[in-house]
Amino acid sequence: MTKLHEEFVKYGANAKRWLRQCALLLPEIARQEIWRKKGFGSIYEYAAKLAGMSKSQVDTALWVVRAVEDKPELKKVVEEKGINCVKPIVAIATKETASFWAEKATEMSQHDLEIYAKEYKSDFLRGEKTEQIEMSLDPAVADQLRKMKGNRDWNTFMKELMDGQPKPEPAQTKQVPTRIKNTVRARTNGICSYPNCHKPAEELHHANRQALNPTHNPNHIHALCKSHHHLAHHSLIANEERQPHEWRLLAYPDKTNPKYQVDRLVQKYRSP
Ligand SMILES: [Zn+2]
Protein backbone atom coordinates (compact mmCIF):
# COMPACT_ATOMS: atom_id res chain seq x y z
CA MET A 1 0.00 0.00 0.00
CA THR A 2 2.77 2.42 0.99
CA LYS A 3 4.67 1.59 -2.18
CA LEU A 4 1.64 2.35 -4.34
CA HIS A 5 1.17 5.62 -2.51
CA GLU A 6 4.84 6.56 -2.87
CA GLU A 7 4.72 5.87 -6.57
CA PHE A 8 1.63 8.02 -6.94
CA VAL A 9 3.27 10.87 -5.02
CA LYS A 10 6.38 10.63 -7.18
CA TYR A 11 4.52 10.66 -10.49
CA GLY A 12 2.18 13.35 -9.24
CA ALA A 13 5.08 15.64 -8.34
CA ASN A 14 6.61 15.07 -11.77
CA ALA A 15 3.32 15.73 -13.52
CA LYS A 16 2.94 19.00 -11.63
CA ARG A 17 6.48 20.04 -12.50
CA TRP A 18 5.99 19.41 -16.20
CA LEU A 19 2.62 21.13 -16.24
CA ARG A 20 4.33 24.13 -14.67
CA GLN A 21 6.84 24.17 -17.52
CA CYS A 22 4.02 24.01 -20.08
CA ALA A 23 2.23 26.91 -18.40
CA LEU A 24 5.38 29.02 -18.57
CA LEU A 25 5.69 28.49 -22.32
CA LEU A 26 2.07 29.29 -23.12
CA PRO A 27 2.21 33.12 -23.37
CA GLU A 28 4.94 32.94 -25.98
CA ILE A 29 3.06 30.22 -27.86
CA ALA A 30 0.01 32.47 -27.81
CA ARG A 31 1.99 35.52 -28.94
CA GLN A 32 3.52 33.72 -31.90
CA GLU A 33 0.24 31.89 -32.59
CA ILE A 34 2.16 28.64 -32.77
CA TRP A 35 -1.09 26.76 -32.12
CA ARG A 36 -2.50 28.06 -35.42
CA LYS A 37 0.61 27.13 -37.36
CA LYS A 38 0.34 23.62 -35.96
CA GLY A 39 -3.26 23.28 -37.10
CA PHE A 40 -5.19 23.79 -33.83
CA GLY A 41 -8.37 25.84 -33.58
CA SER A 42 -7.30 27.79 -30.51
CA ILE A 43 -4.71 27.98 -27.78
CA TYR A 44 -7.20 26.13 -25.54
CA GLU A 45 -7.47 23.21 -27.93
CA TYR A 46 -3.70 23.19 -28.28
CA ALA A 47 -3.11 23.11 -24.51
CA ALA A 48 -5.90 20.61 -23.87
CA LYS A 49 -4.81 18.11 -26.50
CA LEU A 50 -1.08 18.36 -25.95
CA ALA A 51 -0.88 18.84 -22.18
CA GLY A 52 -4.32 18.05 -20.79
CA MET A 53 -4.77 21.60 -19.53
CA SER A 54 -8.25 22.89 -18.80
CA LYS A 55 -9.51 26.22 -20.13
CA SER A 56 -9.21 27.86 -16.73
CA GLN A 57 -5.65 26.55 -16.31
CA VAL A 58 -4.77 28.15 -19.65
CA ASP A 59 -6.42 31.45 -18.73
CA THR A 60 -4.66 31.55 -15.36
CA ALA A 61 -1.31 30.69 -16.95
CA LEU A 62 -1.63 33.40 -19.60
CA TRP A 63 -2.77 36.00 -17.09
CA VAL A 64 -0.23 35.23 -14.36
CA VAL A 65 2.80 34.73 -16.59
CA ARG A 66 2.11 37.97 -18.45
CA ALA A 67 1.57 39.86 -15.20
CA VAL A 68 4.94 38.78 -13.79
CA GLU A 69 6.92 39.34 -16.99
CA ASP A 70 8.25 42.71 -15.83
CA LYS A 71 8.68 41.52 -12.21
CA PRO A 72 11.72 39.23 -12.09
CA GLU A 73 11.33 38.39 -8.38
CA LEU A 74 7.83 37.05 -8.91
CA LYS A 75 8.77 35.38 -12.16
CA LYS A 76 11.33 33.38 -10.24
CA VAL A 77 8.68 32.22 -7.74
CA VAL A 78 6.44 31.15 -10.62
CA GLU A 79 9.28 29.17 -12.16
CA GLU A 80 10.13 27.49 -8.88
CA LYS A 81 6.78 27.01 -7.19
CA GLY A 82 4.23 27.35 -9.92
CA ILE A 83 1.55 29.71 -11.02
CA ASN A 84 -0.94 29.13 -8.23
CA CYS A 85 1.52 30.32 -5.59
CA VAL A 86 1.44 33.88 -6.87
CA LYS A 87 -2.12 33.90 -8.22
CA PRO A 88 -3.61 35.60 -5.12
CA ILE A 89 -1.34 38.63 -5.47
CA VAL A 90 -0.66 39.19 -9.19
CA ALA A 91 -3.39 41.78 -9.38
CA ILE A 92 -1.95 43.93 -6.58
CA ALA A 93 1.80 43.43 -6.99
CA THR A 94 3.67 46.27 -8.69
CA LYS A 95 7.29 46.49 -9.85
CA GLU A 96 8.05 48.31 -6.60
CA THR A 97 6.40 45.70 -4.38
CA ALA A 98 7.39 42.61 -6.39
CA SER A 99 10.20 41.51 -4.07
CA PHE A 100 7.96 41.99 -1.03
CA TRP A 101 5.29 39.77 -2.58
CA ALA A 102 7.84 37.23 -3.77
CA GLU A 103 8.97 36.79 -0.19
CA LYS A 104 5.39 36.39 1.04
CA ALA A 105 4.54 33.93 -1.74
CA THR A 106 7.58 31.85 -0.82
CA GLU A 107 6.80 31.78 2.90
CA MET A 108 3.04 31.32 2.90
CA SER A 109 0.69 28.66 1.67
CA GLN A 110 -1.58 29.74 -1.18
CA HIS A 111 -4.52 29.97 1.18
CA ASP A 112 -2.70 32.05 3.81
CA LEU A 113 -1.44 34.34 1.05
CA GLU A 114 -5.01 34.84 -0.19
CA ILE A 115 -6.12 35.93 3.28
CA TYR A 116 -3.09 38.18 3.71
CA ALA A 117 -3.67 39.82 0.31
CA LYS A 118 -7.30 40.47 1.21
CA GLU A 119 -6.35 42.18 4.48
CA TYR A 120 -3.52 44.02 2.76
CA LYS A 121 -5.99 45.52 0.32
CA SER A 122 -8.27 46.75 3.07
CA ASP A 123 -5.46 47.98 5.35
CA PHE A 124 -2.90 49.49 3.00
CA LEU A 125 -4.67 50.24 -0.22
CA ARG A 126 -7.73 51.94 1.18
CA GLY A 127 -7.76 55.25 3.00
CA GLU A 128 -9.33 56.08 6.35
CA LYS A 129 -13.03 55.45 6.28
CA THR A 130 -16.02 55.60 8.54
CA GLU A 131 -19.28 53.74 8.46
CA GLN A 132 -22.77 55.00 9.23
CA ILE A 133 -24.92 52.80 11.43
CA GLU A 134 -28.59 53.60 11.70
CA MET A 135 -30.35 52.57 14.89
CA SER A 136 -33.94 52.90 16.03
CA LEU A 137 -33.76 53.51 19.76
CA ASP A 138 -36.29 54.20 22.45
CA PRO A 139 -35.89 57.99 23.00
CA ALA A 140 -35.08 57.40 26.68
CA VAL A 141 -32.29 54.97 25.74
CA ALA A 142 -30.96 57.43 23.15
CA ASP A 143 -30.95 60.18 25.74
CA GLN A 144 -29.10 57.99 28.25
CA LEU A 145 -26.57 57.04 25.61
CA ARG A 146 -25.89 60.68 24.68
CA LYS A 147 -25.42 61.54 28.35
CA MET A 148 -22.98 58.68 28.81
CA LYS A 149 -21.08 59.78 25.74
CA GLY A 150 -20.70 63.35 27.02
CA ASN A 151 -18.33 65.33 24.85
CA ARG A 152 -16.29 62.37 23.64
CA ASP A 153 -16.67 61.48 19.98
CA TRP A 154 -18.82 58.44 19.16
CA ASN A 155 -15.87 56.25 18.21
CA THR A 156 -14.06 56.79 21.48
CA PHE A 157 -17.25 56.29 23.43
CA MET A 158 -18.23 53.06 21.67
CA LYS A 159 -14.73 51.64 22.13
CA GLU A 160 -14.86 52.39 25.84
CA LEU A 161 -18.26 50.78 26.03
CA MET A 162 -16.92 47.62 24.39
CA ASP A 163 -13.82 47.50 26.61
CA GLY A 164 -15.90 48.02 29.73
CA GLN A 165 -17.85 44.76 29.52
CA PRO A 166 -17.56 42.59 32.65
CA LYS A 167 -14.94 39.87 32.27
CA PRO A 168 -14.07 36.74 34.23
CA GLU A 169 -10.79 36.64 36.18
CA PRO A 170 -7.70 35.35 34.32
CA ALA A 171 -6.80 31.72 35.07
CA GLN A 172 -3.55 29.71 35.26
CA THR A 173 -5.05 26.31 34.41
CA LYS A 174 -3.74 24.04 31.65
CA GLN A 175 -6.90 24.27 29.55
CA VAL A 176 -8.84 27.46 28.94
CA PRO A 177 -11.66 27.37 31.52
CA THR A 178 -15.16 27.14 30.05
CA ARG A 179 -16.28 30.44 31.59
CA ILE A 180 -13.42 32.23 29.78
CA LYS A 181 -14.12 30.37 26.53
CA ASN A 182 -17.77 31.37 26.73
CA THR A 183 -16.99 35.01 27.48
CA VAL A 184 -14.54 35.23 24.60
CA ARG A 185 -16.93 33.62 22.11
CA ALA A 186 -19.87 35.69 23.34
CA ARG A 187 -17.95 38.89 22.70
CA THR A 188 -18.44 38.41 18.94
CA ASN A 189 -21.41 36.01 19.04
CA GLY A 190 -19.30 33.14 17.80
CA ILE A 191 -18.00 35.12 14.80
CA CYS A 192 -14.31 35.65 14.04
CA SER A 193 -13.14 38.79 15.84
CA TYR A 194 -10.75 39.91 13.08
CA PRO A 195 -12.00 43.26 11.72
CA ASN A 196 -14.54 42.80 8.91
CA CYS A 197 -14.42 39.00 8.98
CA HIS A 198 -17.81 37.31 9.33
CA LYS A 199 -16.81 33.68 9.30
CA PRO A 200 -17.60 31.46 12.28
CA ALA A 201 -14.90 31.52 14.94
CA GLU A 202 -13.31 28.09 15.05
CA GLU A 203 -10.28 28.59 17.26
CA LEU A 204 -9.23 30.56 20.32
CA HIS A 205 -6.11 32.65 19.88
CA HIS A 206 -3.83 33.68 22.74
CA ALA A 207 -2.63 37.10 21.62
CA ASN A 208 0.17 36.93 24.22
CA ARG A 209 1.14 33.44 23.07
CA GLN A 210 0.50 30.75 25.62
CA ALA A 211 4.11 29.55 25.47
CA LEU A 212 5.32 32.97 26.67
CA ASN A 213 2.52 33.71 29.06
CA PRO A 214 0.59 30.73 30.40
CA THR A 215 -2.18 32.86 31.92
CA HIS A 216 -5.56 32.64 30.25
CA ASN A 217 -6.58 36.28 30.31
CA PRO A 218 -9.91 36.85 28.57
CA ASN A 219 -8.72 40.30 27.45
CA HIS A 220 -6.01 38.66 25.40
CA ILE A 221 -7.83 35.63 24.07
CA HIS A 222 -9.77 36.04 20.86
CA ALA A 223 -12.08 33.81 18.88
CA LEU A 224 -10.83 33.63 15.30
CA CYS A 225 -11.61 31.77 12.11
CA LYS A 226 -8.91 29.36 10.92
CA SER A 227 -7.58 31.76 8.28
CA HIS A 228 -7.09 34.66 10.65
CA HIS A 229 -5.59 32.40 13.27
CA HIS A 230 -3.01 31.41 10.63
CA LEU A 231 -2.41 35.08 9.83
CA ALA A 232 -1.77 35.79 13.53
CA HIS A 233 0.82 33.01 13.67
CA HIS A 234 2.60 34.43 10.65
CA SER A 235 3.31 37.27 13.18
CA LEU A 236 1.58 39.72 10.88
CA ILE A 237 -0.80 41.47 13.28
CA ALA A 238 0.32 44.63 15.07
CA ASN A 239 -1.29 45.84 18.32
CA GLU A 240 -2.29 42.30 19.17
CA GLU A 241 -2.22 43.16 22.87
CA ARG A 242 -5.10 45.58 22.26
CA GLN A 243 -8.64 44.81 21.19
CA PRO A 244 -9.25 43.64 17.59
CA HIS A 245 -10.63 46.98 16.44
CA GLU A 246 -7.11 48.34 16.96
CA TRP A 247 -5.31 45.50 15.21
CA ARG A 248 -3.35 46.41 12.10
CA LEU A 249 -1.88 44.25 9.41
CA LEU A 250 1.91 44.24 9.24
CA ALA A 251 3.96 44.21 6.07
CA TYR A 252 6.74 42.29 7.83
CA PRO A 253 6.83 40.43 11.13
CA ASP A 254 8.64 42.15 13.99
CA LYS A 255 11.51 39.72 14.39
CA THR A 256 12.62 41.26 17.70
CA ASN A 257 9.29 40.39 19.31
CA PRO A 258 9.59 37.13 21.31
CA LYS A 259 6.25 36.09 19.79
CA TYR A 260 8.03 35.74 16.46
CA GLN A 261 10.08 32.77 17.74
CA VAL A 262 6.96 31.08 19.07
CA ASP A 263 5.19 31.64 15.76
CA ARG A 264 8.09 30.13 13.80
CA LEU A 265 7.68 26.98 15.90
CA VAL A 266 3.93 27.00 15.30
CA GLN A 267 4.58 27.24 11.53
CA LYS A 268 7.06 24.40 11.63
CA TYR A 269 4.63 22.21 13.56
CA ARG A 270 1.89 23.07 11.09
CA SER A 271 3.71 22.40 7.82
CA PRO A 272 3.45 18.73 6.77
ZN1 LIG B 1 -11.58 35.58 10.27
Side-chain angles (χ1 to χ4, degrees):
M1 193 177 81
T2 328
K3 200 167 168 292
L4 260 177
H5 170 70
E6 276 167 10
E7 244 181 297
F8 192 88
V9 169
K10 192 178 107 192
Y11 296 145
N14 278 325
K16 278 193 204 160
R17 190 155 61 90
W18 290 117
L19 204 60
R20 205 143 72 212
Q21 297 302 322
C22 286
L24 285 167
L25 299 176
L26 270 186
E28 196 51 35
I29 287 168
R31 193 155 28 222
Q32 294 186 32
E33 298 206 333
I34 291 174
W35 51 270
R36 196 193 297 279
K37 289 165 199 157
K38 294 292 173 191
F40 292 89
S42 68
I43 184 98
Y44 299 115
E45 191 196 334
Y46 178 91
K49 285 196 175 148
L50 298 180
M53 290 174 83
S54 70
K55 185 175 178 298
S56 83
Q57 278 176 320
V58 174
D59 283 334
T60 307
L62 290 176
W63 171 55
V64 172
V65 175
R66 275 174 190 157
V68 301
E69 247 160 22
D70 57 346
K71 304 176 189 86
E73 301 92 338
L74 281 173
K75 204 173 165 195
K76 204 171 144 232
V77 180
V78 170
E79 283 162 5
E80 283 166 6
K81 291 185 70 191
I83 279 167
N84 288 333
C85 291
V86 305
K87 203 174 127 196
I89 50 96
V90 272
I92 50 173
T94 60
K95 278 188 202 174
E96 291 71 33
T97 58
S99 73
F100 167 77
W101 286 116
E103 201 186 310
K104 290 276 176 285
T106 311
E107 277 171 6
M108 291 182 170
S109 72
Q110 193 191 338
H111 179 255
D112 287 359
L113 185 65
E114 260 162 41
I115 297 300
Y116 182 78
K118 192 175 143 256
E119 302 307 346
Y120 182 93
K121 278 190 263 182
S122 73
D123 264 47
F124 296 118
L125 304 182
R126 225 183 280 162
E128 285 295 312
K129 50 182 174 120
T130 55
E131 197 174 315
Q132 300 282 334
I133 297 184
E134 241 178 79
M135 289 185 286
S136 303
L137 295 179
D138 176 329
V141 174
D143 180 59
Q144 198 67 43
L145 210 57
R146 266 189 224 102
K147 280 178 190 158
M148 280 170 79
K149 178 178 104 55
N151 47 19
R152 285 167 291 184
D153 63 75
W154 279 103
N155 252 328
T156 314
F157 169 64
M158 293 308 283
K159 281 178 193 173
E160 281 178 20
L161 208 62
M162 288 190 283
D163 288 346
Q165 285 172 13
K167 283 161 196 146
E169 286 296 307
Q172 288 274 9
T173 47
K174 193 157 177 260
Q175 303 287 334
V176 184
T178 313
R179 66 196 158 86
I180 293 184
K181 275 187 192 168
N182 291 344
T183 307
V184 168
R185 290 199 187 110
R187 221 156 42 201
T188 50
N189 274 312
I191 303 295
C192 172
S193 31
Y194 195 90
N196 297 315
C197 179
H198 302 105
K199 284 193 214 136
E202 289 170 275
E203 296 169 355
L204 291 185
H205 172 55
H206 284 72
N208 287 338
R209 304 295 182 275
Q210 211 174 342
L212 297 173
N213 184 343
T215 307
H216 304 297
N217 183 337
N219 289 333
H220 300 297
I221 300 180
H222 303 282
L224 293 179
C225 72
K226 258 200 185 104
S227 304
H228 285 119
H229 200 196
H230 275 203
L231 190 71
H233 285 290
H234 275 290
S235 322
L236 289 168
I237 301 178
N239 302 338
E240 240 185 312
E241 66 290 348
R242 298 192 223 147
Q243 291 309 300
H245 59 77
E246 296 190 70
W247 289 358
R248 291 289 171 272
L249 191 73
L250 284 171
Y252 294 101
D254 171 8
K255 295 188 179 174
T256 62
N257 191 323
K259 285 180 193 176
Y260 179 73
Q261 298 309 328
V262 177
D263 289 341
R264 294 317 280 182
L265 285 175
V266 173
Q267 293 301 337
K268 216 166 129 189
Y269 169 75
R270 203 171 256 159
S271 50

